[in-house]
C-alpha cells in the first residue's frame, strides 16, 4: 500500500515507523528538512521536504497514486487543507472554478481526533473509577467495563456473578 504521511514530528514518525515496518511504501512530508532526514535515515521511507498543504509538494510525494494520506502535522488547519488538496489531486480536479472547495461537507476527513479531548475524557474516566487501571465504555456510556486488581484472598474470586448481589 502506498501511504503518504504529512508531518514528521513524533506522531507522524511513529505512524511511519509502524507502516514501514509492515512493508508499506511510505513517503514522509514535512517542512522541516531535519525531521525528514531523521525519518529517512532511521526508517525505510522516502522523504519530501516542503509544506504538505502545497499542491506541488503533494504531487511530488505521489498523492495521485497514494492509497492513503495521513495528515499529522502540528496544525489542525494545515491538516485539513492537506486533506482537501490531496483529494483534489487524486481526483485531478484542481481548478479555480471550485469556489466552494472548503465547505464543511466537502472536506475529505474521515476521522478527527482531538488530543485535548481524549486526554480530558481519559482523566474523567480515571476520576470516576480511581481504583481501576483501565475503563472502557459501551452503549454510549450506558455500560462500563472496569479493570481492577484484586488480592488472592478477595471473596469475589471464583464467585458466580449471580451470587455477588447476595454476598455484597
Amino acid at each position: 500500500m502506498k501511504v503518504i504521511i504529512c508531518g514528521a514530528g513524533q506522531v507522524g514518525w511513529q505512524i511511519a515507523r509502524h507502516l514501514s515496518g509492515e512493508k508499506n511504501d511510505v513517503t514522509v512530508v514535512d517542512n522541516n528538512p531535519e525531521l525528514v532526514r531523521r525519518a529517512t535515515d532511521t526508517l525505510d521511507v522516502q522523504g519530501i521536504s516542503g509544506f504538505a498543504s502545497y499542491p506541488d509538494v503533494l504531487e511530488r510525494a505521489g498523492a495521485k497514486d497514494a492509497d492513503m494520506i495521513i495528515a499529522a502535522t502540528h496544525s489542525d488547519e494545515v491538516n485539513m487543507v492537506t486533506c482537501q488538496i490531496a483529494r483534489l489531486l487524486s481526483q485531478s480536479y484542481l481548478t479555480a472554478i471550485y469556489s466552494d472547495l472548503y465547505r464543511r461537507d466537502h472536506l475529505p476527513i474521515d476521522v478527527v481526533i482531538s488530543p485535548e479531548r481524549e486526554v480530558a475524557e481519559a482523566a474523567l474516566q480515571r476520576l470516576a473509577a480511581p481504583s481501576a487501571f483501565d475503563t472502557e465504555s459501551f452503549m454510549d456510556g450506558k455500560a462500563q467495563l472496569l479493570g481492577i486488581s484484586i488480592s488472592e484472598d478477595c471473596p469475589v474470586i471464583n464467585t458466580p456473578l449471580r451470587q455477588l448481589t447476595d454476598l455484597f
Side-chain angles (χ1 to χ4, degrees), residues 148-157:
I148 56 172
S149 295
I150 55 176
S151 61
E152 291 182 23
D153 62 340
C154 181
V156 298
I157 293 179

Side-chain angles (χ1 to χ4, degrees), residues 83-103:
C83 290
Q84 182 64 33
I85 298 301
R87 177 174 183 233
L88 293 174
L89 286 174
S90 67
Q91 294 180 0
S92 300
Y93 355 136
L94 187 58
T95 66
I97 64 170
Y98 296 102
S99 59
D100 62 345
L101 179 68
Y102 298 107
R103 283 192 3 217

Side-chain angles (χ1 to χ4, degrees), residues 97-129:
I97 64 170
Y98 296 102
S99 59
D100 62 345
L101 179 68
Y102 298 107
R103 283 192 3 217
R104 180 177 273 287
D105 58 330
H106 288 186
L107 287 174
I109 299 170
D110 296 325
V111 178
V112 176
I113 300 170
S114 167
E116 294 88 358
R117 179 172 282 166
E118 293 297 320
V119 168
E121 287 177 8
L124 287 173
Q125 281 184 336
R126 184 74 179 175
L127 291 171

Side-chain angles (χ1 to χ4, degrees), residues 50-80:
F51 291 94
S53 58
Y54 287 12
D56 63 315
V57 172
L58 287 177
E59 211 164 24
R60 278 192 294 140
K64 286 183 180 180
D65 303 320
D67 297 303
M68 182 187 309
I69 297 176
I70 300 171
T73 72
H74 66 282
S75 168
D76 292 339
E77 292 81 6
V78 170
N79 292 338
M80 290 171 28

